[in-house]
C-alpha cells in the first residue's frame, strides 16, 4: 500500500512546485503589461512575454490533471467509470500537446530574433503567422485525440482506465498521428535551439579569425565573452530539459503494444494498479511523470533564468554602445592636440583677441588678465621670456597712447 501513496506524494510535490511558480508568472506578466496605445507593433520581448503567460496557463491545466491523478492514488479504492476515463484522456493529452506546441513557438521566436534568417518584412509576417499555424496544428491534433475516445474505457474491476483497439482502425491511426505530432514539436524545439547555439558560436569564430588576421601578433587570443558563454549555456539547458522531459513519452507512443499504450496514454493508476513493478512499468511511470515535470519547471527556465539572461544581454549591449560612442568622440586625439600647444601661446592669443575687439586695455585689466592663472602668470613674469617681453611692450604702448590722449 506504500506504492500508491509514494506516487501520490511525488505527484503532489510536482503540482505544488509548478502551481506557485506558474501563478507567479501569470501575475508578473499581467503587472508588466504595456498599455494598448503603446503596443502598435509588438517587440520580440512583448511576444515572448505573451507566449510565456499562455504557457503558464496551459501548464497550470496540466498540473490540475496531475492533481486529479494524485487524488486517485490517495484514494486507492475509489472506482472509475468510462466517462471519467475519457474526460481525463482528452484533457490530459490535449493540454500536453498544447504545452509542447507553445514551447515550439517560443523556440521559433527566439531563432528568428537571434538568427534573422529572412528580411525584416518576411520575418514580421512569419512571426505573425506562427501563432495562427500553431493554433491550426493544435486543433488538428485535438481532433485526432477526440477520435480515440471510443478506444478508452474502464477496466473490468473499475479501478483503472484502459484502451482497446479491437475492430477499431480509426483510433489506432489517430494514435499514431498524435505520436507523430509530439515528435514533430520536440524535433522542432531541438533544431531551433541547436541552430541558435551553432549561430552564436560561428559568429564568435568569425570574429576571432578576423581579429587574428588584423593583429600583428599571430598568437593573439580572443576569449569568448562571459555573456555569450552564459547565454549559450542557458539555451543548452532549456533544450536539454525539454528533450529529457518529452523524448521518452514521444518514442514510447510508437511501441505497438496495447498494454503499454493503454497505461502510457490512458492509465490513471500506473503499474497496472500497482500490481506489476517490472522495468517497462517503471519506464512508463517515469515517462508520464517527466511530462508533468516539464510543466512544473517551465517557469524556472523561462521566467527566473530568463531575467538573468536579459540582464546579461542588456549589459553587453550597453557596453558596446559606450565603446562605440567613445571611439566616435575620440577624446584622446583632441587631448593630444591641446597638449601640443604651449600655455604661453594661449596667453598671447587671448591678449591679441581681446585687444582687437576692445580697442584699448587699461593697466588694471591687463594686469588682471595676465594674473588669471598661475601657469600663465609665471610665464608672463619671466624676464627673459620673449612672450613676457611682448606683453610688457604692448602694455607700455597702450600707456603712452593713453597719456598722449590725456595731454591733448
Amino acid at each position: 500500500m506504500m506504492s500508491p501513496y509514494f506516487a501520490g506524494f511525488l505527484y503532489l510535490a510536482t503540482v505544488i512546485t509548478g502551481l506557485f511558480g506558474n501563478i507567479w508568472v501569470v501575475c508578473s506578466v499581467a503587472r508588466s503589461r504595456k498599455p494598448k496605445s503603446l503596443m502598435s507593433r509588438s517587440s520580440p520581448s512583448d511576444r515572448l512575454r505573451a507566449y510565456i503567460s499562455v504557457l503558464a496557463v496551459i501548464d497550470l491545466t496540466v498540473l490540475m490533471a496531475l492533481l486529479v491523478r494524485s487524488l486517485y492514488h490517495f484514494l486507492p479504492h475509489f472506482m472509475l467509470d468510462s466517462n471519467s476515463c475519457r474526460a481525463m484522456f482528452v484533457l490530459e493529452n490535449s493540454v500536453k500537446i498544447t504545452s509542447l506546441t507553445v514551447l515550439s513557438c517560443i523556440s521559433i521566436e527566439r531563432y528568428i530574433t537571434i538568427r534573422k534568417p529572412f528580411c525584416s518584412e518576411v520575418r514580421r509576417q512569419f512571426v505573425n503567422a506562427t501563432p495562427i499555424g500553431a493554433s491550426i496544428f493544435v486543433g488538428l491534433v485535438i481532433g485526432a485525440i477526440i477520435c480515440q475516445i471510443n478506444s478508452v474505457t474502464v477496466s473490468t474491476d473499475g479501478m483503472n482506465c484502459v484502451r482497446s483497439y479491437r475492430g477499431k482502425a480509426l483510433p489506432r491511426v489517430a494514435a499514431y498521428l498524435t505520436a507523430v505530432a509530439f515528435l514533430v514539436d520536440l524535433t522542432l524545439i531541438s533544431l531551433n535551439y541547436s541552430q541558435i547555439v551553432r549561430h552564436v558560436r560561428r559568429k564568435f569564430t568569425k570574429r576571432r579569425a578576423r581579429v587574428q588576421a588584423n593583429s600583428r601578433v599571430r598568437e593573439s587570443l580572443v576569449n569568448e565573452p562571459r555573456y555569450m558563454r552564459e547565454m549559450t549555456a542557458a539555451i543548452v539547458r532549456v533544450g536539454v530539459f525539454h528533450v529529457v522531459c518529452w523524448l521518452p513519452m514521444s518514442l514510447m507512443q510508437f511501441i505497438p503494444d496495447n498494454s503499454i499504450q493503454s497505461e502510457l496514454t490512458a492509465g490513471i493508476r500506473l503499474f497496472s494498479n500497482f500490481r506489476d513493478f517490472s522495468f517497462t512499468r517503471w519506464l512508463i511511470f517515469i515517462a508520464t511523470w517527466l511530462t508533468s515535470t516539464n510543466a512544473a519547471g517551465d517557469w524556472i527556465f523561462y521566467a527566473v533564468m530568463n531575467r538573468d539572461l536579459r540582464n546579461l544581454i542588456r549589459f553587453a549591449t550597453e557596453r558596446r554602445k559606450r565603446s562605440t560612442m567613445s571611439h566616435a568622440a575620440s577624446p584622446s586625439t583632441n587631448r593630444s592636440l591641446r597638449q601640443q600647444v604651449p600655455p604661453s601661446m594661449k596667453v598671447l592669443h587671448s591678449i591679441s583677441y581681446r585687444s582687437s575687439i576692445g580697442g584699448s586695455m587699461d593697466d588694471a585689466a591687463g594686469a588682471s588678465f595676465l594674473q588669471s592663472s598661475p601657469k600663465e602668470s609665471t610665464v608672463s613674469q619671466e624676464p627673459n621670456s620673449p612672450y613676457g617681453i611682448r606683453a610688457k611692450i604692448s602694455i607700455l604702448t597702450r600707456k603712452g597712447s593713453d597719456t598722449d590722449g590725456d595731454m591733448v
Side-chain angles (χ1 to χ4, degrees):
M1 292 297 296
M2 291 301 295
S3 296
Y5 293 111
F6 170 76
F9 279 116
L10 181 61
Y11 289 160
L12 192 60
T14 307
V15 170
I16 293 174
T17 303
L19 185 65
F20 289 103
N22 286 296
I23 291 176
W24 171 75
V25 169
V26 173
C27 296
S28 300
V29 173
R31 285 197 304 266
S32 63
R33 185 169 56 90
K34 294 182 179 180
K36 292 183 179 180
S37 59
L38 300 177
M39 296 181 65
S40 57
R41 178 173 293 182
S42 59
S43 62
S45 60
D46 296 331
R47 294 192 296 269
L48 183 60
R49 281 197 297 268
Y51 280 127
I52 290 174
S53 61
V54 173
L55 178 65
V57 173
I58 297 172
D59 286 343
L60 284 173
T61 312
V62 175
L63 295 172
M64 291 302 101
L66 184 64
L67 180 62
V68 174
R69 184 188 289 266
S70 64
L71 293 178
Y72 281 107
H73 286 76
F74 286 116
L75 302 172
H77 300 290
F78 192 79
M79 299 186 68
L80 297 163
D81 57 2
S82 298
N83 293 329
S84 59
C85 287
R86 291 173 179 176
M88 278 293 297
F89 171 78
V90 173
L91 175 65
E92 194 169 11
N93 288 277
S94 298
V95 293
K96 283 182 178 181
I97 191 62
T98 307
S99 177
L100 190 59
T101 304
V102 174
L103 291 174
S104 64
C105 291
I106 293 176
S107 66
I108 292 173
E109 176 72 27
R110 285 184 166 181
Y111 173 76
I112 293 176
T113 302
I114 297 176
R115 181 67 175 81
K116 295 181 176 60
F118 316 111
C119 63
S120 59
E121 184 64 25
V122 176
R123 196 161 57 240
R124 183 178 63 83
Q125 294 178 0
F126 191 85
V127 167
N128 294 333
T130 298
I132 300 175
S135 302
I136 297 173
F137 177 79
V138 170
L140 294 175
V141 178
I142 291 177
I145 293 172
I146 294 174
C147 292
Q148 307 174 46
I149 288 180
N150 293 330
S151 64
V152 180
T153 184
V154 68
S155 60
T156 55
D157 57 358
M159 302 301 295
N160 205 356
C161 300
V162 295
R163 298 186 65 176
S164 176
Y165 295 111
R166 291 181 179 179
K168 301 173 183 177
L170 181 61
R172 186 180 294 275
V173 174
Y176 281 112
L177 292 178
T178 305
V180 170
F182 277 97
L183 194 60
V184 166
D185 276 339
L186 185 60
T187 304
L188 192 61
I189 293 171
S190 304
L191 288 177
N192 286 328
Y193 285 128
S194 62
Q195 288 298 316
I196 290 173
V197 174
R198 180 173 175 268
H199 171 71
V200 172
R201 289 180 176 175
R202 184 173 56 186
K203 287 194 68 175
F204 172 72
T205 303
K206 290 182 179 180
R207 174 189 172 191
R208 182 172 56 186
R210 185 169 59 252
V211 171
Q212 291 179 354
N214 297 330
S215 177
R216 296 180 179 179
V217 182
R218 291 187 176 274
E219 290 79 8
S220 60
L221 297 177
V222 180
N223 296 324
E224 187 176 5
R226 177 185 173 185
Y227 80 94
M228 187 178 295
R229 291 196 305 270
E230 297 194 4
M231 181 180 67
T232 305
I235 293 174
V236 170
R237 282 196 300 267
V238 171
V240 171
F241 174 70
H242 293 323
V243 170
V244 170
C245 290
W246 289 102
L247 185 61
M249 180 182 177
S250 301
L251 293 180
M252 292 183 72
Q253 291 187 32
F254 290 96
I255 299 176
D257 191 330
N258 190 20
S259 62
I260 293 177
Q261 294 297 321
S262 178
E263 188 164 353
L264 183 67
T265 59
I268 300 296
R269 296 184 176 99
L270 300 182
F271 299 102
S272 295
N273 199 12
F274 298 94
R275 292 191 299 265
D276 182 9
F277 294 94
S278 62
F279 179 73
T280 305
R281 303 299 173 181
W282 275 104
L283 288 180
I284 295 173
F285 172 75
I286 294 173
T288 55
W289 175 70
L290 283 176
T291 57
S292 302
T293 304
N294 183 88
D298 281 338
W299 66 276
I300 299 175
F301 289 93
Y302 286 98
V304 177
M305 293 185 177
N306 190 40
R307 179 178 299 176
D308 298 335
L309 183 61
R310 288 199 306 268
N311 291 336
L312 289 171
I313 295 175
R314 188 182 300 111
F315 172 75
T317 303
E318 292 175 356
R319 184 176 59 185
R320 287 195 298 267
K321 288 182 179 179
R322 288 195 300 266
S323 177
T324 305
M325 292 175 63
S326 62
H327 285 297
S330 62
S332 59
T333 306
N334 297 333
R335 193 182 302 112
S336 62
L337 291 176
R338 287 196 300 268
Q339 290 176 355
Q340 293 177 3
V341 181
S344 56
M345 293 296 293
K346 299 178 183 178
V347 175
L348 287 177
H349 177 72
S350 301
I351 293 175
S352 61
Y353 177 77
R354 292 195 178 188
S355 62
S356 62
I357 294 179
S360 62
M361 184 183 300
D362 55 1
D363 298 339
S368 63
F369 184 78
L370 290 174
Q371 299 293 334
S372 60
S373 65
K375 291 183 179 180
E376 294 170 354
S377 61
T378 303
V379 174
S380 62
Q381 289 174 3
E382 291 180 359
N384 296 327
S385 175
Y387 304 108
I389 294 174
R390 292 178 184 176
K392 291 180 180 179
I393 292 174
S394 61
I395 294 173
L396 293 176
T397 304
R398 282 194 294 274
K399 282 185 177 182
S401 61
D402 293 340
T403 306
D404 295 337
D406 293 337
M407 292 176 64
V408 173

